[in-house]
Amino acid sequence: AYWIQAWVSGGKKPKCTDGLYSGLTSRGRPIPCKGADKGRFGNLCIRSQTVKTNCPLTCNSCLVIGTDAGGTQAPAPVPAPATPAPTAPAPSPTPSPTPAHTPAPTQPPNRCVEDVSNVFDKDGKDSCAIWNKCSQDVSMTCKPSKCKVVLKAG
């Protein structure tokens, strides 16, 4: 959620306030802003940007934008220069013919599949992850279960 604070030059600046909750939870319950800087979890203002944003008064992180010095009158707008009369566009050159599309050579399916299990499981025993590195779809059947899988082009 977002909110905007605004005031006119010389007007009363709104005071800084906290939200009801810090944005963090403990045991499924929201942690309130009150005490977020010195509660049983330590200073959450230092440890979490979310808490700093949701609890600006408690965390001493109220947004400060410049200093109101009373303001000055804005200068009158300067008239735009006259627009010149439109001219006829130059004729476009004739485009060259588009060459016929040459499809990329296909790889044999057994060269397309790469085992990347070690990315997800360092010893490679508890996961199965494969990647299709070719530019065409590859169909495969798993031996033990007879499931069929289509690996989309890599």
Side-chain angles (χ1 to χ4, degrees), residues 26 42 73 87 101 107 142:
S26 173
Q73 184 78 21
T87 58
H101 175 69
Q107 294 280 342
C142 305

Side-chain angles (χ1 to χ4, degrees), residues 104-129:
T106 58
Q107 294 280 342
N110 61 346
R111 290 207 176 156
C112 292
V113 179
E114 180 180 350
D115 182 1
V116 291
S117 299
N118 63 344
V119 173
F120 302 99
D121 180 19
K122 294 303 176 201
D123 60 12
K125 294 179 183 175
D126 297 324
S127 66
C128 174

Side-chain angles (χ1 to χ4, degrees), residues 60-102:
N60 195 25
S61 60
C62 297
L63 186 61
V64 177
I65 304 175
T67 304
D68 184 1
T72 57
Q73 184 78 21
V78 178
T83 306
T87 58
S92 299
T94 305
S96 14
T98 306
H101 175 69
T102 307

Side-chain angles (χ1 to χ4, degrees), residues 126 139 152:
D126 297 324
S139 297
K152 295 307 247 177

Side-chain angles (χ1 to χ4, degrees), residues 17 24 28 31 34 44 52 56 58 61 70 74 87 94 104 116 132 134 137 141:
T17 59
L24 302 180
I31 299 173
K34 184 178 180 178
L44 296 175
K52 224 173 169 176
T58 298
S61 60
T87 58
T94 305
V116 291
N132 179 0
C134 290
D137 293 353
T141 304

